[in-house]
């Protein structure tokens, strides 16, 4: 009986890949400290999308703030939407960009302090 193994995708001398980062639950105080230190800066593609990024002091992107279209005004805008960094769901519209950034920070605090869900995996 011959056992055949797939070749490894990594070269023989390469260091092992680190495990994927797992989300850790933050305390309310720690999450508020991160959110309080966050600032709103223009995104790299601001000219095309008018998106602003909510960035923590360590450089991680907490969320995005972008104009909300669909209003009846002359420009067609009716406020600002916010979304978390790795989410597709947008919330809003909020009246001002700063208000949308505040709501984005509060949503990030809720996610960062939420209890971790355990999922069953089947091998």
């Amino acid at each position: 009986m011959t056992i055949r193994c797939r070749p490894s995708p990594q070269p023989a001398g390469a260091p092992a890949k680190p495990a994927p980062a797992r989300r850790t639950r933050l305390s309310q105080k720690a999450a508020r400290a991160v959110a309080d230190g966050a600032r709103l800066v223009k995104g790299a593609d601001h000219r095309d999308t008018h998106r602003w990024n909510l960035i923590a002091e360590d450089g991680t992107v907490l969320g995005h703030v972008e104009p909300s279209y669909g209003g009846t005004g002359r420009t067609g805008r009716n406020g600002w939407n916010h979304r978390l960094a790795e989410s597709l769901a947008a919330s809003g519209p909020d009246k001002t960009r700063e208000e949308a950034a505040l709501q984005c920070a509060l949503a990030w605090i809720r996610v960062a302090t939420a209890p971790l869900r355990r999922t069953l995996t089947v091998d």
Side-chain angles (χ1 to χ4, degrees):
M1 181 162 135
T2 306
I3 298 176
R4 294 185 182 179
C5 298
R6 291 184 188 169
S8 174
Q10 291 183 335
K17 288 184 181 178
R22 298 180 79 187
R23 184 176 71 89
T24 58
R25 182 177 182 206
L26 295 177
S27 68
Q28 191 78 17
K29 185 176 180 181
R32 283 184 190 259
V34 170
D36 286 343
R39 63 189 189 285
L40 197 60
V41 297
K42 285 184 181 180
D45 58 349
H46 178 73
R47 182 175 287 209
D48 298 328
T49 63
H50 303 288
R51 179 184 287 180
W52 292 71
N53 296 331
L54 185 64
I55 299 180
E57 288 178 348
D58 64 353
T60 58
V61 178
L62 303 180
H64 308 286
V65 175
E66 54 197 14
S68 170
Y69 295 97
T72 58
R74 188 175 64 203
T75 61
R77 290 178 42 189
N78 62 344
W80 294 85
N81 286 335
H82 68 275
R83 69 179 72 220
L84 294 178
E86 296 175 358
S87 174
L88 298 176
S91 299
D94 297 306
K95 290 188 184 266
T96 64
R97 185 176 56 228
E98 289 76 18
E99 186 177 327
L102 174 66
Q103 293 302 321
C104 185
L106 292 174
W108 183 85
I109 289 173
R110 284 191 298 273
V111 169
T113 59
L116 299 175
R117 291 184 178 178
R118 295 185 179 211
T119 58
L120 297 175
T121 57
V122 179
D123 290 332

